Amino acid sequence: MLKVRNIETWYDLIRALHGISFEIEEGKIVTLLGSNGAGKSTTLKTIMRLLDDDQPEKGAIEFLGKRIDRLDTDEIVRMGISYVPEGREVFPELTVMENIQMGAFTRRDTAKIKEEIDAVMEYFPILRERKNQEAGYLSGGEQQMLAIARALMSKPKLLMLDEPSLGLSPLLTHQIFQIIQDINKEGMTILLVEQNVNMALKYAHFAYLMENGRIVRADKPEILREDEDVKEFYLGIATEQSVKGYKRYRRKVRFR
């Protein structure tokens, strides 16, 4: 569905993406993993053309067989890609319903929009209860649900989510990921950026690891979960190798 080929993105004189390439198969959940500053959010913004007009500076991005790396953002949305940014960014002074309706701004089939609103509300019953409340008064988890609901209103073929669990409690994080899985089961393809590596690997079908603007590893989640480096550096699990290294360090300190 999506092919990213050797893209380079720059912020002024700083190269943020160093020729990264990856693919997303239709109907799958694919996750981009990595620490802060790895280039995950920049990748999504580059795909959506939310940076300077000349970014990406090099490379190509294809969606459903068509080049999109020089289109305007609204054209990309009309082609079938929706984006939920980090930090949710709902319209705080608009009501929940008005925020959801804003998600359909590219559509002209007004007769079907009400049906779509009802369908979206099935995923998020709490939003139906709060539909006349200003979005700024929602909790963080409710705002995240609203941001996803708004993105779904454009009827995307590919939904891109940037840190959907950011700032949420473990309970709400599980709820959000369950909703993501339910949306995927209905046929939605999802590109997920997430720092909660454990949750991302639990729900994704394929994963890419990013470091310093580069893709350094690509594999199935079940394989990455058993990798010693992934366990230690991304999942925070002390491996046998790291424990031995720590013991050697303690002995050096003790007899120094």
Side-chain angles (χ1 to χ4, degrees):
M1 175 176 279
L2 184 77
K3 293 182 180 180
V4 175
R5 292 283 179 265
N6 300 314
I7 62 171
E8 292 187 6
T9 296
W10 294 70
Y11 290 108
D12 295 325
L13 299 178
I14 299 173
R15 183 164 56 175
L17 299 180
H18 297 256
I20 68 169
S21 299
F22 64 91
E23 296 184 359
I24 298 177
E25 186 179 343
E26 186 173 359
K28 303 296 185 181
I29 300 176
V30 175
T31 184
L32 291 178
L33 305 174
S35 58
N36 282 331
K40 307 183 303 297
S41 295
T42 298
T43 300
L44 299 192
K45 291 176 182 177
T46 301
I47 293 170
M48 290 303 297
R49 295 276 288 153
L50 292 172
L51 303 174
D52 294 340
D53 289 342
D54 58 349
Q55 301 299 333
E57 188 169 299
K58 295 181 180 179
I61 303 171
E62 292 183 8
F63 179 64
L64 297 174
K66 297 181 180 179
R67 286 280 297 267
I68 65 171
D69 48 273
R70 286 298 175 261
L71 298 180
D72 292 333
T73 301
D74 64 301
E75 294 178 281
I76 293 172
V77 173
R78 288 187 175 91
M79 286 186 68
I81 303 180
S82 267
Y83 169 57
V84 179
E86 179 182 350
R88 299 174 277 276
E89 296 187 12
V90 300
F91 300 104
E93 295 181 358
L94 298 183
T95 66
V96 168
M97 181 59 72
E98 288 168 339
N99 267 270
I100 292 174
Q101 291 169 336
M102 286 292 290
F105 80 100
T106 61
R107 296 176 57 179
R108 297 293 177 263
D109 54 339
T110 54
K112 292 186 177 180
I113 290 178
K114 187 178 184 302
E115 296 178 17
E116 293 295 331
I117 291 175
D118 290 337
V120 165
M121 291 293 195
E122 290 299 315
Y123 289 120
F124 311 100
I126 189 65
L127 298 184
R128 191 186 300 277
E129 297 177 20
R130 308 282 173 86
K131 64 181 181 179
N132 297 318
Q133 183 176 335
E134 288 186 8
Y137 291 101
L138 299 179
S139 69
E142 291 165 350
Q143 287 189 15
Q144 185 64 70
M145 293 178 189
L146 177 57
I148 297 174
R150 183 181 61 192
L152 291 174
M153 283 303 299
S154 67
K155 294 192 70 174
K157 300 177 179 69
L158 171 63
L159 178 64
M160 302 199 304
L161 303 170
D162 194 353
E163 302 286 4
S165 74
L166 184 67
L168 302 184
S169 68
L171 177 60
L172 281 174
T173 295
H174 279 279
Q175 290 178 0
I176 289 294
F177 270 90
Q178 187 59 58
I179 292 169
I180 291 171
Q181 186 179 55
D182 291 343
I183 293 171
N184 174 251
K185 286 180 178 179
E186 294 292 326
M188 182 75 65
T189 307
I190 295 173
L191 175 55
L192 171 68
V193 162
E194 180 57 55
Q195 282 199 1
N196 189 329
V197 176
N198 200 32
M199 292 295 290
L201 292 178
K202 179 180 178 180
Y203 288 91
H205 299 104
F206 200 82
Y208 293 90
L209 293 181
M210 293 190 69
E211 290 181 9
N212 300 318
R214 295 178 172 86
I215 302 286
V216 296
R217 183 78 184 274
D219 222 323
K220 295 179 180 179
E222 57 268 26
I223 295 176
L224 291 177
R225 277 198 297 265
E226 297 305 316
D227 184 272
E228 295 292 311
D229 289 337
V230 173
K231 283 182 180 180
E232 182 175 355
F233 296 110
Y234 293 97
L235 299 178
I237 300 173
T239 63
E240 182 178 354
Q241 183 178 357
S242 66
V243 170
K244 288 180 178 178
Y246 177 71
K247 288 180 177 178
R248 286 196 299 270
Y249 167 76
R250 288 300 300 263
R251 285 197 296 270
K252 288 181 181 178
V253 171
R254 188 181 308 160
F255 295 109
R256 184 173 290 173

